[in-house]
Amino acid sequence: MWYQRKKKFLEGIQKCLTLQDQKFEQIINEIYEVYKTNEDNLSTLTDIEIEEISSTEDRILVLKTIFYIIQRFKLFILSPLKLQSDLNELGFTPEKSQILLKFYSEVSREIIKDLDMSVSTTAEEEVLYEIKTTLSDAASQKCKIPKAKITLK
């Protein structure tokens, strides 16, 4: 599974649901800009203001929740249908699920574009994509675990 179902994460999602859709999308984009410049530093996130949430603790929880989702999006290759069902299962509204799905598509497009640019600059290298997925049958009730392997020669 691409996320860990923890109490604080689920509380953060509930706080995210109180945001208007436009504000939610704006916050995602602001956090992603921070993430691109400094992937490990959460201290710069506290500068982002959220008018809808008055409590500082709740605001930080929302920011950390969205930051966690962005981190996980960068680590996993997911099927959009599976991602949407996971987001709905977590309690996101269809509108917020669509916003996150759109964002995931942009992030994954950037990753593939960066990979394509690095390959095109060195024509001597070959890139082999080997994507493996472990699928479970309905009887065992195991989660689907995506795995990806990229080999550079």
Side-chain angles (χ1 to χ4, degrees):
M1 210 170 244
W2 63 273
Y3 63 91
Q4 295 177 355
R5 203 182 242 306
K6 293 186 177 182
K7 183 180 177 186
K8 284 287 188 187
F9 178 60
L10 297 175
E11 286 176 18
I13 289 172
Q14 293 304 313
K15 300 291 181 191
C16 287
L17 293 175
T18 62
L19 299 173
Q20 294 178 359
D21 293 340
Q22 290 177 331
K23 184 64 175 178
F24 182 68
E25 188 170 11
Q26 177 188 354
I27 291 170
I28 289 173
N29 292 327
E30 287 180 31
I31 292 174
Y32 186 59
E33 290 302 316
V34 170
Y35 178 82
K36 284 195 302 190
T37 58
N38 193 355
E39 294 182 11
D40 299 328
N41 193 357
L42 289 172
S43 62
T44 55
L45 287 181
T46 56
D47 298 340
I48 299 172
E49 290 296 324
I50 305 173
E51 296 83 26
E52 289 91 343
I53 299 175
S54 58
S55 167
T56 304
E57 186 177 300
D58 289 345
R59 183 174 55 83
I60 291 173
L61 181 61
V62 166
L63 296 173
K64 284 184 176 182
T65 300
I66 295 173
F67 189 80
Y68 174 76
I69 291 171
I70 290 171
Q71 283 181 319
R72 303 310 279 185
F73 280 179
K74 295 283 278 189
L75 290 176
F76 287 87
I77 298 172
L78 302 166
S79 158
L81 291 175
K82 173 73 171 128
L83 177 59
Q84 188 167 20
S85 71
D86 286 348
L87 292 172
N88 291 336
E89 181 183 308
L90 285 169
F92 282 104
T93 62
E95 294 82 15
K96 287 189 176 46
S97 293
Q98 286 297 345
I99 291 169
L100 285 168
L101 199 57
K102 177 182 162 191
F103 175 76
Y104 174 74
S105 298
E106 291 171 7
V107 168
S108 56
R109 190 177 314 122
E110 278 182 27
I111 293 169
I112 292 170
K113 180 180 166 190
D114 288 345
L115 181 62
D116 187 41
M117 290 176 77
S118 67
V119 170
S120 64
T121 57
T122 57
E124 298 167 4
E125 293 182 340
E126 289 183 27
V127 177
L128 302 174
Y129 296 93
E130 183 180 337
I131 299 177
K132 298 179 182 179
T133 57
T134 305
L135 302 176
S136 64
D137 56 352
S140 64
Q141 297 296 313
K142 292 183 181 176
C143 297
K144 298 176 184 177
I145 305 170
K147 298 178 185 175
K149 178 181 174 184
I150 299 175
T151 308
L152 295 175
K153 284 187 175 183

